[in-house]
Amino acid sequence: MSGIWILGAGGHAKVAIATAEAGGLVVEGLFDDDPAKNGSAVLGVGVSAPTAPLEWWRETERAAFIAIGANKVRQRFATMLPARWTTLVHPTAWVHASSDVDDGAFVCAGAIVQPDAFVGAHAIVNTGTVIEHDCRVGAYVHIASMACLAGAAQVGEGSFIGAGAVILPGIKVGQWATVGAGAVVTKDVPDGATVAGVPARQGA
């Protein structure tokens, strides 16, 4: 079985490599656009910089994963490169059979995705995060470590939910919004807004 190629060679790549290998996948190599990283290694996996050109990706279908925490950058690579995007789910995560985790998403160690939840393409459900029943997590979202989305909460495309934040049941966070670490979100958050605090509010 051929392995996967990982885009990114930073800290998030370390977690992706560990998750891939824990799931029995072979990581063929890493790509990064920082020339200083060319020829280095992350957890024993070699780094090539810059990222291989489009012609290389078009030669044959290649399995790949984007290990970059920045949501906009993940979106850019996902829409630019003709790869077969691999979904990574750590063996210690619990994902119910009725939930749906889309291509390129990342469910990290200890995370929980409850029944009838949806996790969009290239979204990150980070370490120890809880996605409760009927939640909707849009494409390119990053739910940071130990955050909790209570039942039927929704997070729009590209948004960032900080570590330890709590989104209360049925609350909607708009697209490309930011929720600060430790915030408790009790009201809907508009597109592009930044909220923080307990309860979360703009300008906190």
Side-chain angles (χ1 to χ4, degrees):
M1 181 180 67
S2 60
I4 65 169
W5 296 87
I6 290 179
L7 297 166
H12 199 52
K14 292 181 180 180
V15 183
I17 293 167
T19 300
E21 292 179 345
L25 295 175
V26 175
V27 180
E28 300 282 3
L30 307 178
F31 290 115
D32 197 282
D33 282 341
D34 181 356
K37 294 182 179 180
N38 190 45
S40 64
V42 177
L43 296 182
V45 180
V47 180
S48 297
T51 302
L54 285 175
E55 291 74 17
W56 184 85
W57 291 97
R58 289 171 178 153
E59 285 175 2
T60 185
E61 185 179 70
R62 289 182 165 93
F65 180 80
I66 307 172
I68 298 170
N71 298 348
K72 287 279 189 183
V73 179
R74 283 201 314 287
Q75 182 191 47
R76 177 167 60 85
F77 277 112
T79 54
M80 178 178 69
L81 298 180
R84 175 166 52 85
W85 299 114
T86 298
T87 300
L88 292 182
V89 178
H90 196 277
T92 64
W94 191 84
V95 179
H96 192 267
S98 67
S99 64
D100 187 8
V101 179
D102 215 344
D103 293 345
F106 193 5
V107 181
C108 294
I112 297 172
V113 181
Q114 293 283 20
D116 294 322
F118 172 78
V119 177
H122 304 281
I124 300 169
V125 178
N126 221 318
T127 308
T129 291
V130 175
I131 308 296
E132 274 293 351
H133 65 88
D134 302 296
C135 286
R136 307 280 303 178
V137 175
Y140 314 113
V141 165
H142 186 165
I143 312 291
S145 301
M146 308 303 292
C148 177
L149 273 59
Q154 298 182 35
V155 179
E157 177 180 297
S159 289
F160 177 80
I161 309 299
V166 176
I167 315 299
L168 293 189
I171 295 298
K172 298 179 181 179
V173 176
Q175 297 184 4
W176 302 99
T178 300
V179 173
V184 177
V185 182
T186 62
K187 297 180 180 180
D188 290 353
V189 177
D191 292 351
T194 296
V195 301
V198 181
R201 60 190 185 275
Q202 295 188 58

